[in-house]
Amino acid sequence: MTFDYDLFVIGGGSGGVRAARMAAEAGARVALAEEYRMGGTCVIRGCIPKKLMVYASQFSENFMDAPGYGWSISGTPRFDWSAFMANKDREIARLEGLYTQALQTAGVTIFSDRAIFADPHTLFLLNDERKVTAEKILIATGNRPTREMGTTHIIPGGDLCITSNEVFHLETMPKRVLVAGGGYIALEFAHIFHGLGAHVSLVYRGEKPLRGFDDDMRDAVLESMRARGLEVLLGCEFTKVQRRGDQLHAETNHGAVIECDQILLAIGRQPNTDALHVEKAGVELGMKGEVVVDDYSRTSAAHIYAVGDVTNRVQLTPVAIHEAMCFVETAFKNNPTKPDYGHVPSAVFTTPELAVVGMSEEKALGMGHSVDIYKASFRPLLHTLGGRPVRTSMKLVVDAKTGQVLGVHIFGDHAAEIIQAAAVALRLGATKKDFDRTIALHPTAAEELVTMRTKSYSKAPAG
């Protein structure tokens, strides 16, 4: 059978764009369909615009520290939401253009359209109302925020709330924001709006935020949030949301009513597979609607692959890009390559940041390691003249038998920048002695990673 393309990619996010470009550069005839904007969640409505909002929100604390360093700021600093949003939109448009240009330069055919399966090798383009065929197909449609609030049902009024998709397009800055959720997206936006001057409340049904992160770091983040004046309501969830005049009123299972201007739902994400009609191609979906893949990102249909958030593996942009590169090696270069998920660093862009690579104490114990734990908590030099009681916390999880460093955890200024180098060390199998033998760079916060010589405590697995 003759196909229109060697590869058809569904989705123009980071994983899809990288796979399409690399396959085309390897000599394949490639097409890509993106129904919205090139760049996907990360560039258009995720990592990049959110990080720009983080930067904007942190100026308020910089202004607070400035007098201690001799700077006099006359008048009250004023934040212009409209100006910031316009500048942010220009930058996102610039990045979107670079993604498109990279594909065009590689010779990829781009369809600004929605593609759905018609049969195992055929895709139907909805706007063009035509079919195209491909020998291989890559699903890279990502995921989207969910609105399914409540433990057993969707609560009344959920449609009055916004998600992380709509938050980037608000016309005005809300003065009172209620954030629902306890994951990294919820905490990041809670800090963003707090830094921009809004009164922020966070509602989370769990006992403390950031499930899956190290417990000591979770405690440090929670303590920091409350010290900054963010209202954190734990063991709490909505039962109803109503609009009363210009305000939203959220009722909780504790009997409270919270009044606010905007309610942001950051309660989870779900794979974008609902309308793909993957059943026509023989592609199996999992319980959450994710595309089920093997170790090589191949689906239940041998010629169809999937990468990125739609597979619900590790939901990080660099991981999607890594999976895409492995896919091209496997499908087009006769070099079967499994994605390597070991030592993937991650960060929560709160203020200050939380960054981690490797195992938490709890995970290490659960995997049978006896561990030695090293901790440091200190007031960073930056804040000594500023006068605010900001602290940095660091933690090393070390295998007690081999001395290998299993996990590095940092909650403090520039933690995400520091953790990248730590990820290299862990990938190389660095031991605590290797850290100890490394000469510190003074004065920095990062030097604490190599000067923690006193063990805090040791633990063995239960049982």
Side-chain angles (χ1 to χ4, degrees):
M1 179 178 178
T2 301
F3 299 101
D4 297 324
Y5 300 99
D6 300 317
L7 172 66
F8 196 102
V9 179
I10 310 174
S14 298
V17 168
R18 181 62 62 92
R21 181 175 64 81
M22 291 187 65
E25 290 172 349
R29 295 170 302 142
V30 181
L32 180 147
E34 170 54 53
E35 65 175 312
Y36 181 49
R37 296 178 65 182
M38 201 68 70
T41 296
C42 180
V43 173
I44 305 301
R45 48 187 178 268
C47 319
I48 300 302
K50 182 183 64 182
K51 189 67 179 291
L52 294 175
M53 294 181 80
V54 169
Y55 287 143
S57 71
Q58 290 175 339
F59 279 94
S60 60
E61 294 200 357
N62 294 336
F63 293 145
M64 292 172 64
D65 288 338
Y69 284 89
W71 287 93
S72 176
I73 300 176
S74 59
T76 302
R78 186 178 66 87
F79 175 68
D80 189 328
W81 175 267
S82 296
F84 166 72
M85 294 296 276
N87 291 337
K88 179 264 296 180
D89 289 344
R90 278 194 293 272
E91 175 61 13
I92 299 309
R94 184 186 72 84
L95 295 174
E96 179 185 9
L98 292 177
Y99 270 61
T100 301
Q101 181 182 355
L103 290 173
Q104 292 172 336
T105 300
V108 176
T109 301
I110 300 174
F111 293 100
S112 299
D113 208 335
R114 184 174 186 176
I116 62 175
F117 284 96
D119 66 42
H121 286 278
T122 306
L123 296 154
F124 182 69
L125 301 174
L126 294 182
N127 293 340
D128 285 355
E129 295 185 340
R130 70 185 182 98
K131 294 179 179 180
V132 295
T133 61
E135 181 178 3
K136 293 183 175 68
I137 298 170
L138 178 67
I139 302 171
T141 50
N143 61 18
R144 67 186 185 278
T146 181
R147 290 179 176 272
E148 296 180 0
M149 290 189 293
T151 54
T152 59
H153 63 286
I154 299 176
I155 70 161
D159 58 318
L160 298 174
C161 308
I162 63 173
T163 71
S164 57
N165 281 356
E166 295 81 35
V167 73
F168 298 113
H169 305 289
L170 294 176
E171 293 183 0
T172 59
M173 163 77 185
K175 297 302 181 184
R176 292 173 298 175
V177 180
L178 177 57
V179 179
Y184 73 94
I185 296 175
L187 268 63
E188 287 172 345
F189 278 111
H191 281 84
I192 286 169
F193 281 111
H194 177 262
L196 295 178
H199 177 273
V200 177
S201 300
L202 183 135
V203 170
Y204 178 50
R205 68 187 186 189
E207 64 177 27
K208 54 186 170 182
L210 296 177
R211 181 167 56 89
F213 284 81
D214 188 274
D215 271 354
D216 284 330
M217 297 296 108
R218 297 170 74 189
D219 291 337
V221 173
L222 180 58
E223 181 181 346
S224 172
M225 291 178 70
R226 286 176 166 160
R228 279 178 157 74
L230 284 87
E231 182 181 25
V232 183
L233 305 174
L234 301 176
C236 186
E237 57 185 323
F238 299 147
T239 56
K240 182 191 297 184
V241 175
Q242 292 179 312
R243 181 174 293 282
R244 300 179 188 174
D246 294 335
Q247 305 300 317
L248 294 176
H249 289 246
E251 297 182 10
T252 75
N253 57 336
H254 291 175
V257 176
I258 303 173
E259 184 180 281
C260 58
D261 300 313
Q262 289 285 356
I263 299 176
L264 171 63
L265 301 181
I267 52 178
R269 299 181 69 85
Q270 58 193 70
N272 283 323
T273 55
D274 289 351
L276 274 178
H277 298 294
V278 295
E279 70 280 356
K280 295 182 178 181
V283 173
E284 178 187 354
L285 298 182
M287 293 292 292
K288 297 181 179 180
E290 74 277 12
V291 178
V292 178
V293 294
D294 66 11
D295 291 343
Y296 297 92
S297 298
R298 192 190 303 267
T299 73
S300 51
H303 66 289
I304 301 176
Y305 297 76
V307 298
D309 293 349
V310 74
T311 66
N312 200 32
R313 289 180 284 184
V314 181
Q315 298 181 32
L316 295 170
T317 295
V319 172
I321 292 172
H322 173 64
E323 290 170 354
M325 293 161 57
C326 293
F327 156 72
V328 173
E329 290 291 326
T330 299
F332 291 98
K333 295 186 178 182
N334 196 30
N335 179 31
T337 304
K338 298 178 182 180
D340 183 354
Y341 301 108
H343 303 111
V344 177
S346 62
V348 183
F349 291 105
T350 48
T351 301
E353 301 166 354
L354 170 63
V356 56
V357 61
M359 300 181 195
S360 66
E361 177 182 336
E362 296 74 28
K363 184 175 181 179
L365 291 169
M367 294 185 66
H369 294 274
S370 294
V371 296
D372 293 332
I373 301 298
Y374 296 80
K375 294 182 183 181
S377 178
F378 55 93
R379 190 178 185 186
L381 182 63
L382 171 64
H383 299 294
T384 55
L385 299 188
R388 291 185 299 116
V390 178
R391 298 191 68 79
T392 290
S393 297
M394 295 186 178
K395 181 175 181 178
L396 298 181
V397 181
V398 179
D399 185 280
K401 295 179 180 178
T402 66
Q404 184 174 356
V405 180
L406 302 176
V408 178
H409 307 264
I410 307 172
F411 177 59
D413 296 321
H414 314 300
E417 303 293 345
I418 299 170
I419 208 70
Q420 184 68 79
V424 176
L426 263 64
R427 175 162 287 279
L428 293 174
T431 64
K432 183 63 172 64
K433 289 183 178 179
D434 292 325
F435 275 56
D436 294 343
R437 285 193 291 258
T438 301
I439 296 176
L441 176 61
H442 182 75
T444 66
E447 70 181 295
E448 292 291 332
L449 291 178
V450 299
T451 59
M452 280 189 276
R453 304 296 171 86
T454 303
K455 188 190 312 179
S456 298
Y457 54 84
S458 299
K459 274 189 180 180

